[in-house]
Amino acid sequence: MTSRHAHDDTRWELGPVMGPADPHDHAGCSMPVPESSDLPPRLDSAVTALTELRGPTVSFTVEPDPESVTEARHFAISRLAEWGVPELADDVGLVVSELVTNALRHSGGPARGRPGLGVHRAGVYDDPADPLGSAPSAIRLRIGHQAPWLLCGIMDASRAAPRRKEPDYIAETGRGLHLVESFSVRWGWRAIPQGKVVWALFRAP
């Protein structure tokens, strides 16, 4: 795997990838990531198209099961092969795994000790006006492709901002968003009427 963090491209007018680290964000603490509110027009439009399932975009429903992380990664990698960009498989697969894991962990999965309360509720899942099907904690993986760019996003029903920790290289967790930042050109999140989308942008070499 190789980091694509430095592969910015002025044709997309991406601007700075992320702001400087907060000097008060010490190891063991977490800080909410500011919402992506001033994206360049083309990227802004691409994120909107992703959430509305417009254009060359595919969608995968993430079930409330740990195996869904592997299933989502395999779904993403198979789409990359169909689109002729298998060279992005390692980076996209890693980022999808991290984002799905975070969504399952933090967006309100099944209540512990109360079997049967899954994250999905009956709804019209293919309605662009209600992309989460009115589910309280439904999770969707969306991937859009417009050569040479690929945009993936995880949509969930929580409006809480992603939180970034200073990495503890001894701990087994807490490095997810740092990996997302390292292996994508740019990433961020946006509130939507039914929750939020956390997205990551990639560029085929």
Side-chain angles (χ1 to χ4, degrees), residues 17-18 33 36 99 162 164 177-178 180-182 184-189 198-201:
V17 175
M18 291 294 293
V33 177
S36 307
L99 293 182
R164 175 166 40 191
L177 293 183
H178 294 275
V180 172
E181 182 171 335
S182 294
S184 62
V185 173
R186 182 170 180 171
W187 77 280
W189 73 280
V198 183
W199 54 267
L201 180 69

Side-chain angles (χ1 to χ4, degrees), residues 9-47:
D9 193 311
T10 55
R11 290 176 296 172
W12 265 60
E13 301 171 338
L14 296 179
V17 175
M18 291 294 293
D22 188 323
H24 301 293
D25 189 6
H26 300 294
C29 299
S30 66
M31 296 290 290
V33 177
E35 185 176 356
S36 307
S37 58
D38 57 349
L39 296 178
R42 289 187 65 188
L43 182 54
D44 182 85
S45 296
V47 173

Side-chain angles (χ1 to χ4, degrees), residues 60 62-74 100 104:
F60 176 82
V62 178
E63 300 293 343
D65 188 300
E67 291 299 319
S68 288
V69 177
T70 300
E71 292 169 0
R73 183 172 65 249
H74 288 168
V100 170
L104 287 170

Side-chain angles (χ1 to χ4, degrees), residues 88-106:
L88 292 178
D90 286 342
D91 291 358
V92 173
L94 184 148
V95 168
V96 165
S97 296
E98 293 296 336
L99 293 182
V100 170
T101 298
N102 285 347
L104 287 170
R105 182 175 296 150
H106 300 297

